[in-house]
Amino acid sequence: MSLNPTKIRTLVRRLGYQFNDISLVELALSHRSIGANNNERLEFLGDSIVNFLMAEALFYKFPDCREGELSQMRAQLVKGATLAEIAIEFELGDYLNLGPGELKSGGHRRESILADAVEALIGAIFLDGGMDSCRQHVLTWYQSRLLAISPQQSNRDAKSLLQEWLQSKGRGLPKYLLRATTGSDHQQLFDVECQVEHLQQSFTGSGSSRKVAEQVAAQAALDFLQL
């Protein structure tokens, strides 16, 4: 099923980017439930691009942050829930091309489908207009989030999210173990391991304090659980 050209033009205006090849928009909005000609390849491309663009933006915004802190903030910005929020801001669910089964089950509201569509649109903009144009538009979409994010705000989220999820599943709280401390007194690096009940692997994190390292490890666990 093809999307209505008028609807595509309306979405393009909302996105703030004028496509040279409008077929890329339709492809980006086409879920795999419609068949082989879907957005999975564009999603793969867009996932890499948004990770790079957020890493680049954070690198310049926080020149004093360590790698672990930057990684944690990036994870907050590119996780599925954040991408889905962006999709909702554009009312993207109204424009998705879904198969009958996904349409009936409310796929236009499903977080994973919305997030994938945003990544696919980012991939489409990159193919259509190049990296500079893609960077400009993605940073515009993320402007308020980039202004609001901080190492402290990001650190607070990961541990609480992991704890809340485990409690909702009736599982024990995660354990955080300090594995190593390196560096001078004024520039120490802490390595922490996070152990989660019922999971066969542990998760590690590094940071300029034990608290930061614990949050990085918690985020690694969240990424593994795809939360």
Side-chain angles (χ1 to χ4, degrees):
M1 180 180 70
S2 296
L3 294 171
N4 185 303
T6 301
K7 290 189 71 174
I8 290 182
R9 287 195 294 270
T10 300
L11 176 61
V12 165
R13 285 196 297 271
R14 287 184 173 179
L15 296 175
Y17 176 77
Q18 187 60 51
F19 280 85
N20 297 302
D21 183 359
I22 204 69
S23 68
L24 284 169
V25 184
E26 184 165 350
L27 182 60
L29 297 172
S30 298
H31 185 254
R32 64 176 179 270
S33 59
I34 69 160
N37 194 31
N38 59 59
N39 65 5
E40 286 188 325
R41 284 172 55 83
L42 284 177
E43 174 206 336
F44 166 79
L45 182 60
D47 175 71
S48 296
I49 293 168
V50 73
N51 270 275
F52 166 72
L53 291 177
M54 291 303 103
E56 180 185 50
L58 292 168
F59 179 85
Y60 288 112
K61 181 177 181 180
F62 298 103
D64 298 324
C65 279
R66 293 177 178 270
E67 183 269 342
E69 295 167 309
L70 294 171
S71 294
Q72 188 180 351
M73 286 188 286
R74 180 182 61 180
Q76 291 292 322
L77 292 169
V78 304
K79 66 182 181 179
T82 303
L83 290 163
E85 287 173 4
I86 292 172
I88 290 169
E89 289 168 7
F90 288 124
E91 299 181 358
L92 208 57
D94 295 341
Y95 302 91
L96 295 175
N97 192 4
L98 304 171
E102 283 293 350
L103 200 58
K104 186 176 180 179
S105 65
H108 62 288
R109 294 188 299 269
R110 188 166 297 131
E111 182 179 286
S112 60
I113 292 178
L114 291 170
D116 290 348
V118 172
E119 290 179 335
L121 283 168
I122 291 170
I125 293 174
F126 169 76
L127 291 178
D128 190 75
M131 180 57 86
D132 287 343
S133 185
C134 187
R135 177 186 288 107
Q136 175 189 340
H137 287 84
V138 172
L139 291 181
T140 298
W141 299 354
Y142 268 95
Q143 184 177 21
S144 62
R145 292 169 176 85
L146 284 167
L147 286 172
I149 200 164
S150 69
Q152 294 76 23
Q153 177 264 339
S154 183
N155 289 343
R156 190 167 60 249
D157 289 345
K159 287 186 70 174
S160 61
L161 283 173
L162 180 59
Q163 179 173 318
E164 289 166 9
W165 184 85
L166 290 170
Q167 288 176 327
S168 73
K169 301 297 182 183
R171 300 181 183 179
L173 298 179
K175 296 179 181 179
Y176 297 94
L177 307 174
L178 181 63
R179 292 305 187 192
T181 305
T182 56
S184 64
D185 290 342
H186 300 292
Q187 200 170 13
Q188 288 186 311
L189 184 65
F190 296 80
D191 296 323
V192 165
E193 177 183 349
C194 173
Q195 297 178 350
V196 179
E197 185 180 338
H198 299 309
L199 294 184
Q200 299 301 311
Q201 69 181 82
S202 59
F203 307 91
T204 59
S206 299
S208 54
S209 70
R210 180 168 180 169
K211 181 179 178 180
V212 169
E214 288 178 353
Q215 302 294 348
V216 175
Q219 185 61 55
L222 290 172
D223 291 342
F224 177 81
L225 294 166
Q226 298 184 335
L227 298 176

